[in-house]
Amino acid sequence: MNEKQELFTKYMDEFKKLDPINKTNELLDKLKAIFAYISVYASDNNIEYLPIKSVELTDLKDDPTIDDYIEVAMVYAQNIEELLGLIIDYLKES
């Protein structure tokens, strides 16, 4: 097994030990990072994108439920999907 795979396997072993809220926080951190990376790429290439805002993004402030976390993840996933679509269109035109 290569080093990258071994590190990820260890990461997942630790991830599995987390409670659902902490697992979801890890997932949201990943989605935010992915969105940030592709947003920078889009900005650097003059691809205009106005992120979708949703009330769900503020639901994590007051005693959030697992549903609140899932809804926030969906908002980030939707933004990522739309922005990736714009980037793919841009690359096709290039």
Side-chain angles (χ1 to χ4, degrees), residues 34-35 38 49 74-88:
I34 293 165
F35 185 65
I38 62 176
Y49 180 70
M74 180 55 78
V75 173
Y76 278 106
Q78 182 65 35
N79 276 306
I80 289 167
E81 179 182 30
E82 289 183 11
L83 187 49
L84 281 174
L86 291 173
I87 290 170
I88 289 168

Side-chain angles (χ1 to χ4, degrees), residues 13-26:
D13 288 344
E14 292 302 313
F15 179 80
K16 291 176 189 178
K17 296 175 187 176
L18 297 173
D19 62 77
I21 296 296
N22 284 319
K23 283 180 180 177
T24 310
N25 277 327
E26 285 287 315

Side-chain angles (χ1 to χ4, degrees), residues 42-89:
S43 178
D44 288 350
N45 289 279
N46 298 315
I47 300 170
E48 292 185 30
Y49 180 70
L50 184 61
I52 295 170
K53 305 242 189 260
S54 178
V55 296
E56 283 76 22
L57 294 174
T58 61
D59 285 349
L60 300 183
K61 292 180 180 173
D62 300 318
D63 197 28
T65 65
I66 202 70
D67 281 341
D68 292 329
Y69 283 97
I70 293 168
E71 291 162 4
V72 170
M74 180 55 78
V75 173
Y76 278 106
Q78 182 65 35
N79 276 306
I80 289 167
E81 179 182 30
E82 289 183 11
L83 187 49
L84 281 174
L86 291 173
I87 290 170
I88 289 168
D89 288 343

